[in-house]
Amino acid sequence: MKIVIDAYGGDNSPGAMIDGTLAALKEEDFEAVIVGKEDEITAILSEKEYDKSRISVVNASEVIDCNESPVEAIKKKSDSSLVKAIKILKDDEDAKAFVSAGSTGAVLTAAVLLTKRIEGVNRPALSPILPTMKGGGAILLDCGANVDCKPINLLQFAVMGSVYMREIMQVENPRVALLSNGTEDKKGCALTKEAFELLKAEKSINFVGNMEAREILSGDYDVIVSDGFAGNVALKSIEGAAKSITSALKREIKSSPISVFGALFMKKAFKNLKNFLDYNKRGGAVLLGMKQVVVKAHGASNEESFKNAILQAQRASKTDISDKIREGIAAIGGEK
């Protein structure tokens, strides 16, 4: 099995992408195809120890950055690391997954335009795994691939998220909740009210009702369904709150000698909190609904984060998650 790596586009590329790939190769059995500026990549690799039979490098002279229009950049930059990597994923039958820390819009656009959706899937969903207070994780979908959605899209998101949590996260009967502005059945906008009825009527999922955004990390839900606009706002709010809490805690600890002394006794607790809030521990967001596995790593990924994104892609490919999603979507009637 090959995993195709976009070595450019992230804040710490290509170094973190290469180091993350080498770290992942030490933990799992796969071959890596690293795409990007060959001279730079080979120069970095020449200073590392690794199994050369498990890595190949494909040259790509261009890079798509976050300030470019995704559609225009993909059309104009055919020799970019992103476009060439996606084409390898499409054309090489041994390539089963793709990982990139590049522009979210460009990754999503390239994946949709250059590869194929699973039969019956109306729209793919960007789906990160979030930590919860009860351990494990919860999948949030969509968090940005589809700003405007129809009720059927949310139903399909619920099915895809349930399959992922069951097959990859080993949750036997994933609890599905619809993100809304209240827990009551009649709460929400026109979209969520109609989607609520579809979710409630679908027997193949364990729909438990509406939920509020403040409960996303509670651990009371396994699959959180939303349109891409609200999901992205919720995700960015969580990331911002986590960063603010960490900064405020550091400021208060440094505010007095007594606080610094007291913090010594809380060192383990602070370390656990840091690990809980650290996105580097959780890998990336899978674009569910594609025939092949596409993982969008965090733009600021370091070696650990990118390694975990690759391992996430490897697990999803090994589990044949796309085939299982195809079965789940077919069971509810497919694209409408």
Side-chain angles (χ1 to χ4, degrees), residues 20 29 40 51 58 66 73 91 95 102 114 138 150 170 172 175 185 208 210 222 227 233 235 243 259 265 273 279 326:
D29 183 21
E40 293 183 7
D51 183 350
V58 176
C66 294
D91 297 334
L114 302 178
K150 298 178 180 179
Q170 302 298 301
E172 185 175 348
R175 297 158 296 178
D185 291 2
V208 297
N210 285 332
D222 304 302
D227 64 272
V233 170
L235 180 64
K243 186 179 295 185
S259 297
F265 296 94
L273 177 62
Y279 65 82
R326 182 184 298 108

Side-chain angles (χ1 to χ4, degrees), residues 182-195:
T183 59
E184 298 87 349
D185 291 2
K186 300 301 180 181
K187 283 281 190 174
C189 60
L191 170 64
T192 56
K193 287 178 180 177
E194 190 172 342

Side-chain angles (χ1 to χ4, degrees), residues 85-152:
I86 286 286
K87 286 183 176 178
I88 292 171
L89 177 70
K90 176 186 176 183
D91 297 334
D92 188 339
E93 62 180 20
D94 293 327
K96 303 300 182 183
F98 162 77
V99 183
S100 175
S103 160
T104 301
V107 170
L108 299 181
T109 302
V112 172
L113 291 179
L114 302 178
T115 62
K116 295 181 179 180
R117 288 174 291 157
I118 293 169
E119 290 86 352
V121 172
N122 187 283
R123 294 184 183 182
L126 194 60
S127 316
I129 300 292
L130 305 179
T132 71
M133 296 303 295
K134 296 181 180 179
I139 192 168
L140 169 64
L141 65 170
D142 180 26
C143 75
N146 308 282
V147 175
D148 298 306
C149 288
K150 298 178 180 179
I152 185 60

Side-chain angles (χ1 to χ4, degrees), residues 61-335:
S61 62
E62 298 175 303
V63 177
I64 295 176
D65 65 47
C66 294
N67 297 317
E68 298 181 80
S69 164
V71 175
E72 290 300 314
I74 289 165
K75 288 180 179 178
K76 293 179 179 179
K77 292 187 172 181
S78 59
D79 200 46
S80 65
S81 57
L82 172 58
V83 172
K84 292 194 80 169
I86 286 286
K87 286 183 176 178
I88 292 171
L89 177 70
K90 176 186 176 183
D91 297 334
D92 188 339
E93 62 180 20
D94 293 327
K96 303 300 182 183
F98 162 77
V99 183
S100 175
S103 160
T104 301
V107 170
L108 299 181
T109 302
V112 172
L113 291 179
L114 302 178
T115 62
K116 295 181 179 180
R117 288 174 291 157
I118 293 169
E119 290 86 352
V121 172
N122 187 283
R123 294 184 183 182
L126 194 60
S127 316
I129 300 292
L130 305 179
T132 71
M133 296 303 295
K134 296 181 180 179
I139 192 168
L140 169 64
L141 65 170
D142 180 26
C143 75
N146 308 282
V147 175
D148 298 306
C149 288
K150 298 178 180 179
I152 185 60
N153 302 142
L154 301 191
L155 174 60
Q156 290 194 351
F157 295 167
V159 171
M160 293 192 294
S162 295
V163 171
Y164 189 92
M165 292 302 290
R166 188 166 55 247
E167 300 296 333
I168 305 297
M169 303 298 289
Q170 302 298 301
V171 179
E172 185 175 348
N173 191 25
R175 297 158 296 178
V176 178
L178 179 63
L179 187 63
S180 188
N181 62 334
T183 59
E184 298 87 349
D185 291 2
K186 300 301 180 181
K187 283 281 190 174
C189 60
L191 170 64
T192 56
K193 287 178 180 177
E194 190 172 342
F196 181 95
E197 297 302 324
L198 291 179
L199 293 166
K200 185 178 179 180
E202 180 51 53
K203 302 304 181 184
S204 68
I205 59 173
N206 179 21
F207 181 58
V208 297
N210 285 332
M211 65 168 292
E212 296 180 339
R214 62 187 175 188
E215 300 298 326
I216 288 176
L217 305 186
S218 67
D220 293 334
Y221 310 100
D222 304 302
V223 180
I224 300 162
V225 177
S226 172
D227 64 272
F229 181 84
N232 189 265
V233 170
L235 180 64
K236 297 292 176 60
S237 297
I238 291 170
E239 291 179 342
K243 186 179 295 185
S244 297
I245 289 169
T246 302
S247 297
L249 191 58
K250 290 180 179 178
R251 183 188 64 216
E252 292 303 316
I253 288 173
K254 295 177 181 179
S255 65
S256 72
I258 294 176
S259 297
V260 174
F261 180 72
L264 295 175
F265 296 94
M266 296 287 290
K267 190 174 182 179
K268 183 176 180 180
F270 291 147
K271 183 179 180 180
N272 290 339
L273 177 62
K274 180 179 181 295
N275 288 335
F276 176 75
L277 297 174
D278 188 1
Y279 65 82
N280 290 309
K281 306 292 183 183
R282 297 185 294 277
V286 181
L287 185 62
L288 291 181
M290 306 304 296
K291 283 190 173 181
Q292 292 154 298
V293 176
V294 174
V295 175
K296 171 61 179 72
H298 201 288
S301 290
N302 60 17
E303 175 187 334
E304 180 184 25
S305 179
F306 203 76
K307 177 199 77 171
N308 287 329
I310 293 172
L311 294 178
Q312 184 180 19
Q314 193 267 349
R315 286 194 301 271
S317 300
K318 193 174 181 180
T319 312
D320 295 326
I321 191 70
S322 296
D323 288 339
K324 292 179 172 64
I325 287 176
R326 182 184 298 108
E327 294 170 4
I329 293 297
I332 64 169
E335 189 170 357

Side-chain angles (χ1 to χ4, degrees), residues 18-37:
I18 294 171
D19 289 341
T21 300
L22 296 179
L25 284 167
K26 291 179 181 178
E27 295 189 20
E28 293 291 345
D29 183 21
F30 66 93
E31 294 179 33
V33 181
I34 303 178
V35 185
K37 298 176 182 178

